[in-house]
Each structure stands twice: as C-alpha cells, then as structure tokens.
Amino acid sequence: MYERTEFFLKSKVGIKSGTQCWQSHIKVLAFFFLVGLINIDIATGQEIFGLVLDNSTHKPIDYVNIGIVGKNLGTVSDNEGNYKLFIDNDFSGDSILYSRIGYLPCYIKVDELRNDENKNIFLEAADYSLDEIVIKPKQFKEQVLGVKSNSKSINAGFGDNLLGYECGVIMKSKKTSVIKQVNINVSICTYDTIFYRLNIYEVTDKMDFQNVLREPIYITLPKESVQEEFQIDLRSKNIVVDGDFLVTLEHVKDLGEGKLLFCAGLSKKTYYRKTSQGDWDTAPVGVSISIIADVEK
C-alpha cells in the first residue's frame, strides 16, 4: 500500500498536500513550480482504539493530543475521550505521548500499548504552583502584533479535516506582553460551524515552543460569524508572555469535509505541524493572525 503526497504550485500559487492545503492566490505574480511527487511505502501495523480518562474522577478527557513525538504520527481524542490511531510496525520501539493543557504528559511504549488488552489511558491533573510574583513599576503601551492582512488574494490555513493540524504566526516582542485580544482575518470558510483550540507558546528555541496556557481555550462560531474578521477576547485570562511568542489555531474536532482558510501576507512565515506531537515546519506566507497586547515600554 502506498501513501502518496503531492506538492505543486500553479499560476495562482496553490500549495497542496495530502495532509494539508496551502492555497495562495496572487493576482499580479504568476509562478509555475513543480516540487515533486513522493511515494512512500507503508508497512503493516495495527489500529489502536482506547479512551483517555482522568485518573481521579475516571471521567473522559476531551481533545487530548496523542502521537509519537517528531514522527508526524498522531491524532486527537474526541469530546468523549475516544481515540483511534494506526501505528505502523516501524514505530514499535517508540513511545506515544498523551498530553493536554491541565494534565501531566504521559508516555506509553507502543509495544506495551499493543500488548495491553485495556487501551485506556489515565492522566494525572497538573498542579500549577504559583510562582513568586515580584511587582516592579513598569509602563506598558498597547500594540498590535502579528499579521494584519485582510487581502483575500493570498490565503492559507486548514484545507483538510486533519485532527491535530495546527498553524499560526510568531509575535515579535522583546519584552513582557499582556495579551488582550486575538484577531483573525478569514478568506474562505465552508463549515457551518467552526471549532478550534487556541494555543499560545513561548519561543524557547528556533523551532521549539512551550505552551503557556493553564487551561484550554476553544473557539466555536457559526459560519456567518467568520466570513471576514473575528476576535477572541482574552482579557479575563491574564495571559502574560515574556519575549517572542507563537499564537496558533489547532484542528481538534472532526468537522467533516470543508476548509477554513485565512487571509495571508508575504512578509511573515506560518509555523505549522501536521499532527499532534509532530515536528514544526514553516510556510513562506503568514496567516492573518494578530493580537492586541499591552507591551512593556
């Protein structure tokens, strides 16, 4: 059996793959580019079915990221904690990471999971201890960071119903930022209702990010509310980030066929990963996600 991944760029610059879709429409410039066609052999494996549960309450945990770190093999549990994941025999020596904001990460070896009749996973709730707060007199000024393009001639985003797919842009800030609002400019939405998770990461290295949120933030809106721009008010969340940070949307719910594409600009990069726990990569256009924040002077 073969998994076929195609990459191509046409005159209206549409970049498409089997796991993601980047569509960019540039009216002035026309490029013709063919990157290639890749055929990948897939060996036999096993599909794992299970539940992710709270260790104390035994209640299901929704929208847990599940996958092998750095291998682009992953999924997300549904709203009742159910998950399924096909694991190729090549990954027998690896471990699966189960993680979600509010819980401690859990690693399970693939072979152990395959041999265990009970595929249910129990996660421990995280105890977020409060760091000592040192209050210093600081002055802040409201700023808008990120990509603010509202042109629909270039667009990029979620072209497939792929659980765990995530994309966003880095907000450049050398000092402390208090995040107040996220703004997103939409180019195309074919879903009747959208449901995504908002993530905010500190930049710890060039392609390494650490989520700063203490609780998940979900966005659910009807189609009529996402035709142009929509806003997410975060003032009640008290989100404070030091230095550069990455703001993303993550596809965590099976929405069926459809797509959600954002306006995009050529001056920034989009950071994305194909699956839960997968490696981050970049695309040469920046999706139109911006934030309003009070930034230290």
Side-chain angles (χ1 to χ4, degrees), residues 139-144 176 178 180 293-297:
Q139 291 185 325
F140 289 81
K141 181 180 180 180
E142 185 176 278
Q143 293 186 24
V144 179
T176 301
V178 182
K180 297 163 67 174
D294 289 331
V295 181
E296 182 185 355
K297 289 184 178 180

Side-chain angles (χ1 to χ4, degrees), residues 77-120:
S77 68
D78 66 14
N79 62 328
E80 295 181 345
N82 299 292
Y83 75 94
K84 60 180 179 179
L85 180 65
F86 182 86
I87 305 176
D88 192 285
N89 288 338
D90 290 342
F91 301 117
S92 296
D94 290 297
S95 294
I96 299 175
L97 172 59
Y98 296 77
S99 66
R100 205 206 74 164
I101 298 168
Y103 289 88
L104 298 176
C106 176
Y107 288 89
I108 304 291
K109 287 191 174 296
V110 170
D111 283 343
E112 291 181 10
L113 191 62
R114 280 175 167 169
N115 296 328
D116 192 344
E117 291 184 4
N118 184 359
K119 302 295 192 294
N120 295 345

Side-chain angles (χ1 to χ4, degrees), residues 22-127:
W22 297 94
Q23 294 181 324
S24 304
H25 303 289
I26 304 177
K27 295 179 180 179
V28 179
L29 301 176
F31 297 96
F32 296 88
F33 180 70
L34 176 65
V35 175
L37 178 67
I38 303 173
N39 289 323
I40 304 173
D41 287 322
I42 297 181
T44 57
Q46 179 182 354
E47 192 161 44
I48 303 292
F49 296 84
L51 269 171
V52 187
L53 305 166
D54 184 293
N55 190 54
S56 298
T57 65
H58 287 198
K59 291 182 178 180
I61 306 174
D62 57 4
Y63 310 121
V64 176
N65 292 114
I66 303 163
I68 298 176
V69 176
K71 298 294 179 69
N72 286 329
L73 174 70
T75 188
V76 179
S77 68
D78 66 14
N79 62 328
E80 295 181 345
N82 299 292
Y83 75 94
K84 60 180 179 179
L85 180 65
F86 182 86
I87 305 176
D88 192 285
N89 288 338
D90 290 342
F91 301 117
S92 296
D94 290 297
S95 294
I96 299 175
L97 172 59
Y98 296 77
S99 66
R100 205 206 74 164
I101 298 168
Y103 289 88
L104 298 176
C106 176
Y107 288 89
I108 304 291
K109 287 191 174 296
V110 170
D111 283 343
E112 291 181 10
L113 191 62
R114 280 175 167 169
N115 296 328
D116 192 344
E117 291 184 4
N118 184 359
K119 302 295 192 294
N120 295 345
I121 304 298
F122 294 86
L123 299 185
E124 293 276 358
D127 181 14

Side-chain angles (χ1 to χ4, degrees), residues 15-296:
I15 306 174
K16 184 176 182 181
S17 77
T19 55
Q20 65 183 39
C21 178
W22 297 94
Q23 294 181 324
S24 304
H25 303 289
I26 304 177
K27 295 179 180 179
V28 179
L29 301 176
F31 297 96
F32 296 88
F33 180 70
L34 176 65
V35 175
L37 178 67
I38 303 173
N39 289 323
I40 304 173
D41 287 322
I42 297 181
T44 57
Q46 179 182 354
E47 192 161 44
I48 303 292
F49 296 84
L51 269 171
V52 187
L53 305 166
D54 184 293
N55 190 54
S56 298
T57 65
H58 287 198
K59 291 182 178 180
I61 306 174
D62 57 4
Y63 310 121
V64 176
N65 292 114
I66 303 163
I68 298 176
V69 176
K71 298 294 179 69
N72 286 329
L73 174 70
T75 188
V76 179
S77 68
D78 66 14
N79 62 328
E80 295 181 345
N82 299 292
Y83 75 94
K84 60 180 179 179
L85 180 65
F86 182 86
I87 305 176
D88 192 285
N89 288 338
D90 290 342
F91 301 117
S92 296
D94 290 297
S95 294
I96 299 175
L97 172 59
Y98 296 77
S99 66
R100 205 206 74 164
I101 298 168
Y103 289 88
L104 298 176
C106 176
Y107 288 89
I108 304 291
K109 287 191 174 296
V110 170
D111 283 343
E112 291 181 10
L113 191 62
R114 280 175 167 169
N115 296 328
D116 192 344
E117 291 184 4
N118 184 359
K119 302 295 192 294
N120 295 345
I121 304 298
F122 294 86
L123 299 185
E124 293 276 358
D127 181 14
Y128 293 114
S129 58
L130 295 177
D131 297 330
E132 181 181 357
I133 299 175
V134 180
I135 300 176
K136 297 179 180 179
K138 293 182 179 180
Q139 291 185 325
F140 289 81
K141 181 180 180 180
E142 185 176 278
Q143 293 186 24
V144 179
L145 307 174
V147 180
K148 296 168 283 186
S149 173
N150 59 7
S151 172
K152 296 185 179 182
S153 61
I154 306 174
N155 53 60
F158 301 96
D160 294 310
N161 183 38
L162 182 63
L163 294 177
Y165 182 80
E166 184 174 3
C167 66
V169 293
I170 286 182
M171 310 295 166
K172 295 290 186 179
S173 174
K174 294 182 179 180
K175 297 187 177 181
T176 301
S177 301
V178 182
I179 302 173
K180 297 163 67 174
Q181 180 174 295
V182 176
N183 303 316
I184 300 173
N185 287 306
V186 176
S187 176
I188 300 171
C189 178
T190 62
Y191 293 115
D192 291 332
T193 301
I194 66 166
F195 185 95
Y196 290 87
R197 179 160 55 204
L198 176 73
N199 293 310
I200 300 175
Y201 301 91
E202 284 184 333
V203 179
T204 57
D205 206 344
K206 185 177 180 180
M207 296 295 284
D208 189 25
F209 311 103
Q210 181 68 42
N211 205 316
V212 302
L213 299 179
R214 299 295 177 90
E215 61 181 8
I217 299 174
Y218 298 110
I219 303 163
T220 179
L221 291 169
K223 182 177 181 179
E224 55 267 23
S225 299
V226 294
Q227 291 303 299
E228 298 291 340
E229 180 187 52
F230 65 91
Q231 298 81 33
I232 307 157
D233 190 344
L234 298 178
R235 285 173 293 183
S236 64
K237 303 295 184 181
N238 298 316
I239 303 170
V240 180
V241 186
D242 291 321
D244 295 348
F245 56 98
L246 173 66
V247 178
T248 72
L249 289 184
E250 182 185 2
H251 195 101
V252 295
K253 184 176 182 180
D254 185 354
L255 299 177
E257 291 187 10
K259 58 186 174 182
L260 174 66
L261 301 179
F262 310 111
C263 300
L266 293 173
S267 61
K268 299 282 186 177
K269 293 180 180 179
T270 292
Y271 287 74
Y272 70 93
R273 55 181 172 182
K274 299 176 183 179
T275 62
S276 294
Q277 322 298 1
D279 283 337
W280 289 94
D281 203 345
T282 61
V285 296
V287 292
S288 188
I289 299 177
S290 62
I291 62 104
I292 299 174
D294 289 331
V295 181
E296 182 185 355

